[in-house]
Amino acid sequence: MMIDTGRRAFLAGGGALTLSFAMPGAAFATPGELPKSLDKSPWLDAWIRIEANERITVFTGKAELGQGIKTALLQVVADELRLAPGRLQLVTADTARTPDEGITAGSNSMKDSGTALRHAAGQVRLRLGELAATRLGAPAGSLALKDGAFSAGGRRVTFGQLVTGQELHLRATPTPAPPPPGPRTAIGKSVPRVDIPAKVTGGAAYVQDLRLPQMVHARIVRPPSQAARLIAVDVAAIERLPGVLKVVQDGRFLAVIAEGEYRAVKAATALARATRWETPASLPAHPDVNAFIRAQPAEALPILARGAAGQAGRRFAARYTRPFQLHASIGPSCAVAQLVDGRYTVWTHAQGVYPLRTALAELIAVNEDTIRCIHVEGSGCYGHNGADDVAADAILLARALPGRPVRVQWMREEEHAWEPFGAAMVVQVAATLDSTGRIADWQHDVFTPPHNTRPGKAGNLLAATHLARPFAPPVAKPAPQPEGSGDRNAIPYYVLPNARVVHHFQPKPVLRSSALRGLGAYCNVFAIESFMDELARAANSDPVAFRLRHLDDPRALDVVKLAAAKFGWDGYRRPARRGRGFAFARYKNLASYCAIAVEVEVARETGLVRITRAVSAVDCGEIVSPDGVRNQIEGGIIQSASWTLLEQVRFDESRVLTVDWASYPILRFAQAPEQIDVHLIDRPGQPFLGTGEAAQGPAAAAIANAVFDACGLRMRDLPLDRARVRKA
């Protein structure tokens, strides 16, 4: 994969929609009624560029992570400009070229960037229509627009002709609103994804595939544990090895740069053997998640206090736990960095190129303007895995070897041991059922360390904490509701007149933790929906009917009813060893609605839980790409099945033990659900809600509820692995 690195080359050309490239700045951040991302970067040419040669380029600050966002955003703009998506070029997160849209996370890409681009493209169409009306001498309302050209009375003018010689560096405005979109031509259709061909043909698709002229390779030698102390290292012996260009040591940060990747690997292995560490026992001795998490200092943050506690009725309580879990990226984290004439370029699969740039600038004490971060997809990338950390490794080594691109790729054991883990959680739930079988009051307490320690500060980069003059990680803070972090989805979406929810936030994690897909929603929904199942059975009610009794949002009711109907819930006959489970959530209580029904087969003697069927119903607002939404939900169910049935980080008093696929198994192809059906409810005209993280929580609870239905085993501690099933 070769990349055009020159912004100057990009800007070269003829007439265009703009005469100058607009980057966001404080002077432009005027509050308004614009969509969030467009309000932050309000110049239209920061989003869409039309050149005299008819080339049209679309810019987004969001990154393609395999979620199909490139294709969906092109569909949105194509509809607004009345073009085929293939006429458009797309540039994703790049600090030199695209708007700053923060981090690609939280299923917000369509809500933020899709909405901004729809508005920006609509205003571009409006302005071009005005120009065309003048050029053609016809009222704007009488013009026909098709395939990049306006026409009237037998005359025709193209977008490129309209922008030639024009100064159209325009600011988006909330009024007048762009003309309403016409009939959907691209939106609502499953067009081929632009990111897929290279991935399925073995082409250059990922940052791991990036090759630059004169590129060299590097590997890092990590301490055996976070608390390990470096006793001695023989650097000179490694520097004499064939192909080794440099050994870098700065405190506990050790690395080797070599000509050729294999030489770098061999030299790093030799460097590790030439290094002596002292590894103190700094971690808690007990591996029990409940005891471990409950023992940590916490700040109690009430996030819901509604009605009165202590309602009369039957009282029930339960505790649910989730262990630390890995991102477990299939492709180890990778980055390339280069220092030329005092300026750095970093190719990275980090999900926030602007926050990463800020952190890197602090790390190496330079101005942000001297660093350009370009997003390139990472293999198996999502959440806050090692992407930012390996970018820090790369820029430190590029500084040590100016002129040549330095490629750093983590080793498997490095990825498993050092990525920021998905945070462990303990959820205690209690509720009272009144005499009619309805929930009279509800109490939810969630205990958990931080779920978001992403960069923005150097102290959140792994290498920064290992330097001779280390950066201290900043004190973590919880994200506020309604999105939240560890308390995401801790507030049930049900009608509960009396309810209290408390987030017991632990700011100083013993094990480094950060954003794993869905943050706290995965475990909070697992707990709520498992407990709803328990309450339904206590009320002698069908689990689906029980949920319907406690919902009043028509869209929530629709997905619950649709999932149940498509599963055949009412007519289900349980085969031997099999059972069914149901769960529902609205992600973040403000995004997509998702209901899932699951059938499992349980073999108690072996502990094997096999998912035979999963049926889901989803409402994510207006659907841009039906196939893309199905992909997201199918992927979410499979990922959740892996977390729920298998995944758990283990550690002893001194170090992490799960450093390979044998000690940290994930779902194999043969273990994937045998059948997944996703049914969509399209809402044309409604906001985009995003779907990437809608399914993980409901899938976990549906699996657990199905296990109980199959064999009477109520499992409240994740994962529901074979050992637990056998012992229970």
Side-chain angles (χ1 to χ4, degrees):
M1 178 190 294
M2 302 296 292
I3 291 184
D4 173 12
T5 61
R7 176 185 168 199
R8 182 173 300 170
F10 166 74
L11 293 175
L17 180 66
T18 177
L19 291 183
S20 62
F21 190 81
M23 294 306 296
F28 307 145
T30 305
E33 301 299 324
L34 293 171
K36 175 184 168 185
S37 287
L38 190 57
D39 191 47
K40 188 177 180 182
S41 301
W43 297 96
L44 296 178
D45 49 2
W47 298 90
I48 297 172
R49 174 181 170 85
I50 301 175
E51 300 175 66
N53 62 4
E54 310 294 345
R55 180 187 176 94
I56 303 174
T57 307
V58 178
F59 301 89
T60 173
K62 297 299 186 183
E64 175 68 62
L65 310 173
Q67 80 278 45
I69 195 67
K70 284 183 176 177
T71 308
L73 293 178
L74 289 173
Q75 289 177 259
V76 169
V77 176
D79 253 22
E80 289 296 327
L81 297 183
R82 312 289 193 263
L83 290 165
R87 287 281 308 276
L88 304 171
Q89 309 295 317
L90 182 69
V91 177
T92 60
D94 179 340
T95 57
R97 300 174 68 181
T98 66
D100 179 1
E101 293 195 83
I103 297 169
T104 304
S107 301
N108 287 326
S109 293
M110 288 306 298
K111 179 173 77 70
D112 292 344
S113 208
T115 305
L117 279 169
R118 169 173 263 185
H119 196 100
Q123 291 216 354
V124 166
R125 188 178 86 233
L126 179 66
R127 179 57 181 150
L128 291 173
E130 293 170 350
L131 291 171
T134 301
R135 180 78 68 93
L136 299 176
S142 68
L143 302 179
L145 172 59
K146 183 179 180 182
D147 200 24
F150 290 94
S151 60
R155 301 177 62 203
R156 182 175 182 272
V157 61
T158 67
F159 287 177
Q161 292 169 335
L162 288 170
V163 302
T164 300
Q166 295 290 329
E167 295 186 17
L168 295 174
H169 177 52
L170 300 174
R171 185 186 186 110
T173 59
T175 56
R184 302 195 307 179
T185 55
I187 289 179
K189 295 183 178 177
S190 296
V191 303
R193 276 176 49 175
V194 298
D195 62 310
I196 292 295
K199 295 175 181 175
V200 299
T201 59
Y206 303 112
V207 68
Q208 286 89 348
D209 302 317
L210 183 61
R211 296 295 182 272
L212 296 175
Q214 301 299 309
M215 190 171 77
V216 296
H217 296 263
R219 287 294 189 276
I220 313 299
V221 175
R222 304 283 181 201
S225 71
Q226 183 62 44
R229 290 189 287 271
L230 179 61
I231 305 302
V233 57
D234 184 359
V235 171
I238 308 306
E239 288 179 326
R240 292 192 294 271
L241 293 176
V244 172
L245 299 172
K246 194 160 193 170
V247 176
V248 177
Q249 181 190 359
D250 186 343
R252 295 189 298 157
F253 179 74
L254 293 172
V256 59
I257 308 173
E259 297 275 10
E261 187 168 13
Y262 185 55
R263 282 179 167 172
V265 173
K266 288 185 64 176
T269 302
L271 181 60
R273 287 197 298 264
T275 307
R276 289 194 297 118
W277 301 91
E278 181 180 82
T279 307
S282 61
L283 297 175
H286 49 73
D288 175 69
V289 171
N290 176 52
F292 174 77
I293 293 299
R294 293 298 303 275
Q296 306 307 311
E299 179 183 2
L301 304 170
I303 60 172
L304 177 69
R306 179 192 300 149
Q311 300 296 308
R314 291 185 291 158
R315 189 72 171 168
F316 300 87
R319 186 192 68 218
Y320 304 86
T321 69
R322 167 203 183 179
F324 288 99
Q325 293 175 318
L326 295 179
H327 296 79
S329 297
I330 302 297
S333 296
C334 180
V336 179
Q338 186 175 21
L339 171 60
V340 177
D341 297 333
R343 306 185 72 83
Y344 294 87
T345 304
V346 181
W347 293 268
T348 171
H349 58 104
Q351 293 180 209
V353 290
Y354 279 93
L356 173 62
R357 183 180 68 165
T358 300
L360 294 179
E362 183 186 5
L363 174 67
I364 60 173
V366 300
N367 292 327
E368 288 187 13
D369 291 345
T370 66
I371 302 175
R372 178 185 180 185
C373 291
I374 303 171
H375 182 268
V376 186
E377 274 195 81
S379 172
C381 171
Y382 60 90
H384 183 188
N385 65 351
D388 298 274
D389 296 319
V390 74
D393 298 338
I395 204 168
L396 286 169
L397 299 180
R399 182 178 64 175
L401 192 71
R404 304 198 53 183
V406 180
R407 177 181 181 272
V408 184
Q409 180 166 318
W410 281 13
M411 304 299 281
R412 170 53 51 199
E413 61 272 21
E414 195 178 359
E415 187 83 27
H416 271 45
W418 287 101
E419 64 148 276
F421 302 147
M425 301 174 68
V426 175
V427 179
Q428 293 187 168
V429 190
T432 300
L433 289 178
D434 67 17
S435 58
T436 68
R438 294 184 66 92
I439 300 172
D441 68 34
W442 182 283
Q443 176 72 40
H444 183 117
D445 292 84
V446 52
F447 303 79
T448 185
H451 285 251
N452 192 351
T453 58
R454 289 181 184 270
K457 298 293 293 180
N460 282 338
L461 297 169
L462 177 62
T465 65
H466 293 169
L467 300 178
R469 299 181 63 184
F471 290 81
V475 176
K477 297 179 180 178
Q481 287 285 323
E483 295 205 6
S485 52
D487 56 338
R488 180 169 293 180
N489 274 104
I491 298 175
Y493 200 66
Y494 296 101
V495 178
L496 302 172
N498 305 291
R500 285 149 302 286
V501 179
V502 181
H503 180 198
H504 301 265
F505 175 70
Q506 300 168 354
K508 296 181 179 179
V510 175
L511 291 173
R512 185 180 181 224
S513 60
S514 193
L516 183 63
R517 216 167 176 193
L519 307 189
Y522 168 66
C523 187
N524 283 316
V525 172
F526 165 68
I528 290 170
E529 291 298 300
S530 293
F531 199 50
M532 286 293 288
D533 200 73
E534 297 191 53
L535 292 175
R537 294 175 186 277
N540 197 28
S541 175
D542 174 82
V544 172
F546 187 75
R547 286 172 172 81
L548 292 173
R549 291 181 65 193
H550 291 87
L551 286 170
D552 63 355
D553 182 337
R555 294 173 68 170
L557 293 168
D558 284 348
V559 297
V560 169
K561 291 177 181 177
L562 182 60
K566 293 296 184 181
F567 181 83
W569 187 268
D570 289 340
Y572 183 77
R573 296 290 180 269
R574 186 170 57 234
R577 293 190 169 201
R578 294 192 179 187
R580 61 178 179 169
F582 196 92
F584 157 81
R586 185 181 186 190
Y587 183 52
K588 297 188 284 190
N589 288 348
L590 50 77
S592 290
Y593 303 78
C594 181
I596 299 177
V598 164
E599 182 188 62
V600 303
E601 183 174 276
V602 182
R604 290 295 302 273
E605 64 276 15
T606 64
L608 178 65
V609 176
R610 188 167 64 92
I611 301 172
T612 58
R613 189 158 63 102
V615 177
S616 176
V618 180
D619 175 355
C620 60
E622 181 167 14
I623 295 173
V624 174
S625 172
D627 192 50
V629 174
R630 289 191 184 93
N631 293 163
Q632 291 286 283
I633 298 300
E634 290 167 354
I637 291 171
I638 292 171
Q639 181 176 48
S640 182
S642 184
W643 290 345
T644 302
L645 297 177
L646 294 168
E647 298 189 35
Q648 179 176 14
V649 171
R650 301 182 189 277
F651 54 92
D652 62 15
E653 292 88 340
S654 61
R655 68 186 73 194
V656 173
L657 303 174
T658 44
V659 296
D660 53 34
W661 294 123
S663 55
Y664 190 90
I666 60 174
L667 207 69
R668 306 293 180 96
F669 283 110
Q671 298 168 291
E674 295 179 6
Q675 179 181 343
I676 301 177
D677 297 313
V678 180
H679 302 276
L680 308 180
I681 300 176
D682 193 10
R683 304 284 188 185
Q686 290 295 313
F688 307 134
L689 296 181
T691 53
E693 296 162 316
Q696 284 84 349
I703 293 169
N705 294 337
V707 169
F708 179 83
D709 191 55
C711 63
L713 181 60
R714 177 61 66 184
M715 300 189 72
R716 303 186 179 94
D717 299 311
L718 297 171
L720 318 182
D721 59 19
R722 290 190 179 195
R724 280 208 168 105
V725 173
R726 284 198 306 267
K727 289 180 181 177

